[in-house]
Amino acid sequence: MTHWTRCRKPASILMTVVLFFSVATTGVFGFGTTRVQAQEPAPEQAEASVQAASPEETRFLQLYNQLKDPSNGYFSPEGIPYHSVETLMSEAPDYGHMTTSEAYSYWLWLEVLYGHYTGDWSKLEAAWDNMEKYIIPVNEGDGKEEQPTMSYYNPNSPATYAAEYSQPDRYPSQLSGQYAAGRDPLDAELKATYGNNQTYLMHWLLDVDNWYGFGNLLNPSHTATYVNTFQRGEQESVWEAIPHPSQDDKSFGKPGEGFMTLFTKENQAPAAQWRYTNATDADARAVQAMYWAKELGYDNEVYLNKAEKMGDYLRYGMYDKYFQQIGSAADGSPAAGTGKNASHYLMAWYTAWGGGLGQSGNWAWRIGASHAHQGYQNVVAAYALSDPDGGLIPDSPTAGQDWDTSLKRQLEFYTWLQSAEGAIAGGATNSWDGAYKAYPAGTSTFYGMAYDDAPVYHDPPSNNWFGMQAWPVERIAELYYILASKGDTSSENFRMAKQVVTKWIDWSMDYVFVDQKPVTDADGYYLDEQGNRVLGGQNPQIATVSAPGDFWIPSNLEWEGQPDTWNGFGNHTGNPGLRAVTKNPGQDTGVLGSYIKALTFFAAATKAENGSYTPLGGEAEQLAKSLLDTAWGHNDGVGITKPEARADYYRYFTKEIYFPAGWSGKSGQGNTIPGTNTVPSDPAKGGNGVYASYSDVRPDIKNDPAWSYLEDKYNTSWNPQTQKWENGAPEFTYHRFWSQVDMATAYAEYDRLINGGGGGPVEPVAPKAPGNLKAVPGDAQVSLTWSKSSGADSYTVKRAETSGGPYTNVATISETSYVDLDVVNDTTYYYVVSAANEVGSSPDSVEVSAKPTEAPTPVEGDLKLQYRTNDTNPDDNQIRAQFRIVNTGEESVALSDVKLRYYFTVDGDQAQQFHCDYAVIGSGKVTGSFVKLNESKDGADYYLEVGFTSDAGTLAPGADTGDIQVRFNKADWSNYSEADDFSYDGTKTAYADWERVPLYLNGSLVWGLEP
């Protein structure tokens, strides 16, 4: 059984943006799929000729080939990785066939590990070349200057101040110069080192197929076009952003103004200009990948030097937005920086730069960012760029020292932000509210910066997504491994890295499950076995239900309190006042990949430090293995993925995108924006203008192959009054490039670090006994199911007529279910199952029994009952059922005359509570009452009678009631045992006629069976 058990716990616990992203079956793409055939062999399918030495290596190479297979559609005709194979998508990129610097950095990581396994490093170099050509806006040798006026930049006056605001409605922001910018201390040494100051960093967002239609103004031979979105404060989500060209000569947007006047305003019309924004974590990941390439034997100095140069310019991400002194604005009076005193030495959310176009374009500007998010820090990149053993120290004279300071500062940052549970809180800012306001009294500080639980964006809060935990802590686990492997086990940097990652791993493993699904309430809170919310704390006992073949990891967190003001590692308190509540188990495969790598590097680090795995390291390694094995079962031939319910997609249709009064212009798709189909803006948000919708601004989205599905779902399911999807949210199956690379590299890193890097086959072992064996009797048959045993090739079903045997082998099969037809009614049979592979057989499973009986003939009338359930654990503290009543007759039926009965055993008689969680007709119109049978029946001593109120309406001929979702529990939340309940069938996960829930019309049985 591939569940995860943390044996060291007191009881056995089953385990299991603005810029960046939140998160399939049998080879079928989900809605929104658009395949694009690459015209050149740059991202061709790279068939690996190396004989794989382990399942993990084999799977890495299979995923690699899936990603590179042109028919799967991951790459554009120019060889650029799309954000997603599918197109109808709205997250950081608001269209699936855009891409990000994030995707490029993941591509490099993929090719590094491919080079490790095959010795072919040409794919890594080709990826860097493509990155340099299409998303690093420099003259890559084709004579096209993509930063044409950077040489006019004045480092003593980097940019003109404009305040940030809490709502997009308050934009454009006046370029006021209220606070004079400080001095840029890097420009002179970068010019001296490289001969110019053209920034060697990626712009974060690329319209790969020129879907927006703006075109690449400075390099027209490229289809891919630099665009941007988020520009209007912390509340601006992807649903409120206005896409615009990064090279704006005013051909689009408002006549004479372009798009600039949506974001900033001046005393005259804005000049034509170019402007780029860098996401620091993506470039840091590119450096991180090149560090590992070097460690794994890559030695081409040409490309290693490019990584060093990228790291040199990446230091701009360490600076306050307007180069103000760090901490100087605590009282609301910022002071201009005079050098490195404007550096917080962290990876800020972005850095940006730009300049003029045309005859009057002899100017340029540069800004850093005042907000530092924990999710963007990269201690491996800092190590590589600062330590001689890291081997990538840039050429500029102060770069190595800056990165050395940054490495320690980042580790201190994580220590400062770690909650009492182990999760990492948001970050810090040097500019409160984006306007250098005075810090609120009592605000915790870090080197003078104010604590911020959700830096940068608030829709949704920037630190509620578990991915923002897994991404950076995986890098800390890498550093722990690097330092331990090199014998550095006593430095303060080592001690901080080890402490942070150990506590985080210990916390996170409590909320990760394999083959089991954690029980949550309607608001996504984990529940314990008593049905109480788990609101943080140490070693929580999470209730679970069986979910064979599935994995569950956290999706979101909530935060309380703040860390104590930082006063050095030696004085760290452990932050008793900073608490995290873990919520919303999910199945984000990309985050899963990063999480597995965190487990893997942590486990390997404990072994490198101690000579063998620590107990926690051993648990981490085993969990990583279980997750990898389980994830592979969700590979649909294109990648590893799970369907997603996108509850936020109603926002495609709502009017949320703010345009100031009088602003009207032309988009690249040919429409006038905002157009006439708008609504007045909300004065309470501080603006005077109108709101348009996503499709008003981007009308070509209506041509997407998945649009009709989404639109129909919206029209038939979304209730604007309740703000709920009454008939279920739209579901999509996405193949995100970064997500697939995260999974592919998880297999490779596990193989490299745990299996020895493909140095030979792992010695196989016999499987463990199958778990969760269930036997359901039928008419002259018994249906058996069990959980998969890791490493099993086959299963043997054994039967006896006496408990304890002797058993007779009934069948040997490869599946995890079997229907025994060689039985007779009214005889009790006893079953066990064993697993086997080439090494040997497992012990027998726990015994179960079943007594097949002749099925009575059900009553059939003009009504019938359909049933399904997602309650696949028959031994938990709630019974959940979903019903649909169908009128097959020729006359309407008043629902108030109809009742259904669900028969069950109470397993400990006491008061019970009924809940209708959802009904198409309205949950308030559904009633439930419990009736105890005078005499217990086979599978029942109670029934739940579900009825309808007088205002529930009628059921027309041929119609059905739609979903009726109910659940019930005992007052003390003790468990039921449903396996033998008359009306329960855990295999019915889709609606089907079910005679064991009888229907009554005016008190007479008209459908089904009574026990």
Side-chain angles (χ1 to χ4, degrees), residues 883-1010:
F883 307 114
R884 193 161 63 189
I885 301 170
V886 183
N887 185 353
T888 61
E890 298 179 353
E891 296 181 3
S892 295
V893 175
L895 283 174
S896 59
D897 295 334
V898 178
K899 296 186 185 301
L900 65 86
R901 293 179 182 174
Y902 184 97
Y903 287 88
F904 65 98
T905 54
V906 71
D907 306 305
D909 201 354
Q910 62 172 286
Q912 297 177 89
Q913 299 166 337
F914 169 79
H915 314 273
C916 181
D917 292 327
Y918 171 77
V920 172
I921 63 172
S923 58
K925 299 176 183 178
V926 180
T927 64
S929 59
F930 299 95
V931 178
K932 185 176 182 178
L933 301 183
N934 292 329
E935 182 180 340
S936 294
K937 306 285 187 178
D938 189 11
D941 51 26
Y942 265 86
Y943 64 80
L944 166 71
E945 185 168 84
V946 175
F948 304 92
T949 61
S950 58
D951 60 346
T954 59
L955 188 59
D960 66 75
T961 58
D963 279 2
I964 302 169
Q965 300 179 10
V966 306
R967 60 184 168 88
F968 54 96
N969 58 272
K970 289 179 276 189
D972 69 348
W973 290 91
S974 60
N975 285 352
Y976 294 94
S977 180
E978 300 176 63
D980 59 352
D981 284 358
F982 180 80
S983 294
Y984 172 76
D985 186 350
T987 68
K988 284 186 167 55
T989 57
Y991 274 120
D993 295 354
W994 186 228
E995 296 88 354
R996 287 178 173 249
V997 178
L999 279 174
Y1000 302 82
L1001 182 63
N1002 292 316
S1004 298
L1005 178 66
V1006 295
W1007 164 265
L1009 298 166
E1010 296 176 336

Side-chain angles (χ1 to χ4, degrees), residues 333-467:
S333 303
T338 56
K340 298 294 179 74
N341 60 5
S343 177
H344 43 64
Y345 292 102
L346 299 168
M347 287 290 90
W349 195 252
Y350 60 84
T351 182
W353 67 107
L357 287 172
Q359 293 182 347
S360 60
N362 56 347
W363 53 277
W365 56 269
R366 188 188 299 281
I367 56 174
S370 304
H371 317 303
H373 196 292
Q374 62 90 10
Y376 268 29
Q377 309 310 303
N378 191 318
V379 293
V380 176
Y383 170 81
L385 294 165
S386 64
D387 194 290
D389 283 342
L392 294 178
I393 298 176
D395 289 339
S396 288
T398 66
Q401 181 57 54
D402 282 350
W403 280 111
D404 186 64
T405 302
S406 179
L407 174 59
K408 181 179 180 181
R409 191 68 56 89
Q410 291 183 45
L411 289 167
E412 291 180 292
F413 195 50
Y414 282 115
T415 307
W416 176 61
L417 290 171
Q418 189 159 41
S419 71
E421 287 79 10
I424 312 297
T429 183
N430 194 52
S431 178
W432 192 262
D433 275 352
Y436 297 111
K437 296 178 181 177
Y439 302 168
T443 299
S444 174
T445 58
F446 176 82
Y447 284 95
M449 299 175 72
Y451 171 68
D452 189 344
D453 66 339
V456 187
Y457 65 90
H458 290 176
D459 184 11
S462 67
N463 202 47
N464 75 338
W465 180 48
F466 184 69

Side-chain angles (χ1 to χ4, degrees), residues 24-31 33 35 66 71-72 74 85-86 632-643 733 735:
T25 56
T26 61
V28 179
F29 280 89
F31 289 103
T33 299
R35 293 175 181 262
Q66 287 174 324
S71 67
N72 283 342
Y74 283 102
V85 170
E86 296 77 25
W632 194 252
H634 301 288
N635 190 323
D636 64 0
V638 180
I640 295 174
T641 186
K642 294 281 290 183
T733 299
H735 298 80

Side-chain angles (χ1 to χ4, degrees), residues 482-716:
I482 291 166
L483 296 178
S485 298
K486 295 181 182 296
D488 177 1
T489 59
S490 60
S491 68
E492 188 171 83
N493 283 354
F494 174 83
R495 289 184 287 128
M496 285 191 287
K498 177 182 176 180
Q499 175 177 296
V500 168
V501 71
T502 301
K503 188 175 181 180
W504 188 91
I505 291 288
D506 192 34
W507 157 74
S508 67
M509 288 173 65
D510 290 331
Y511 296 93
V512 177
F513 302 83
V514 181
D515 282 343
Q516 301 287 327
K517 181 177 180 180
V519 177
T520 62
D521 64 15
D523 294 320
Y525 290 95
Y526 290 82
L527 301 179
D528 63 19
E529 292 290 352
Q530 290 71 48
N532 301 311
R533 286 181 171 181
V534 176
L535 301 176
Q538 303 299 320
N539 303 332
Q541 309 294 301
I542 309 295
T544 63
V545 296
S546 178
D550 261 345
F551 65 87
W552 294 91
I553 59 177
S555 291
N556 300 107
L557 296 98
E558 291 179 350
W559 297 93
E560 291 181 2
Q562 65 175 358
D564 293 337
T565 290
W566 182 251
N567 191 28
F569 181 56
N571 298 310
H572 181 53
T573 64
N575 290 330
L578 176 62
R579 308 306 297 264
V581 176
T582 311
K583 292 183 65 180
N584 305 110
Q587 297 177 306
D588 188 322
T589 53
V591 177
L592 178 68
S594 254
Y595 182 68
I596 292 169
K597 284 182 284 189
L599 295 171
T600 299
F601 272 101
F602 172 75
T606 67
K607 188 174 183 179
E609 181 187 5
N610 302 290
S612 61
Y613 298 131
T614 62
L616 185 62
E619 291 181 41
E621 181 274 317
Q622 293 173 46
L623 178 56
K625 172 65 173 173
S626 295
L627 289 166
L628 287 169
D629 287 344
T630 301
W632 194 252
H634 301 288
N635 190 323
D636 64 0
V638 180
I640 295 174
T641 186
K642 294 281 290 183
E644 303 173 24
R646 292 303 302 255
D648 60 330
Y649 274 14
Y650 74 93
R651 297 179 76 175
Y652 270 107
F653 304 93
T654 54
K655 307 288 185 180
E656 300 186 62
I657 304 174
Y658 176 76
F659 289 84
W663 199 100
S664 179
K666 179 184 176 184
S667 85
Q669 294 183 350
N671 57 304
T672 298
I673 51 176
T676 57
N677 190 24
T678 59
V679 297
S681 65
D682 180 359
K685 293 184 177 181
N688 174 28
V690 297
Y691 296 138
S693 73
Y694 182 104
S695 56
D696 294 333
V697 174
R698 311 161 178 85
D700 284 0
I701 197 64
K702 295 182 178 180
N703 299 325
D704 193 280
W707 181 258
S708 60
Y709 159 75
L710 177 62
E711 188 172 41
D712 180 68
K713 192 71 173 177
Y714 176 78
N715 290 331
T716 59

Side-chain angles (χ1 to χ4, degrees), residues 45-105:
Q45 184 175 4
E47 295 292 347
S49 60
V50 177
Q51 179 63 42
S54 72
E56 288 74 33
E57 181 179 338
T58 300
R59 290 168 177 175
F60 164 68
L61 293 171
Q62 285 178 319
L63 271 173
Y64 182 91
N65 288 334
Q66 287 174 324
L67 284 160
K68 290 302 192 71
D69 185 345
S71 67
N72 283 342
Y74 283 102
F75 286 83
S76 80
E78 289 179 316
I80 299 168
Y82 291 121
H83 174 59
S84 174
V85 170
E86 296 77 25
T87 50
L88 185 61
M89 167 181 286
S90 187
E91 40 199 46
D94 59 16
Y95 182 68
H97 276 194
M98 303 177 82
T99 202
T100 59
S101 53
E102 208 78 341
Y104 268 98
S105 66

Side-chain angles (χ1 to χ4, degrees), residues 105 160 162 184 280 288 323 339 535 550 693 718 741 755 790 845 854 885 969:
S105 66
T160 302
D184 172 359
T280 60
Q288 173 190 357
F323 297 87
L535 301 176
D550 261 345
S693 73
W718 177 251
V741 173
N755 297 336
S790 181
S845 68
E854 182 179 356
I885 301 170
N969 58 272

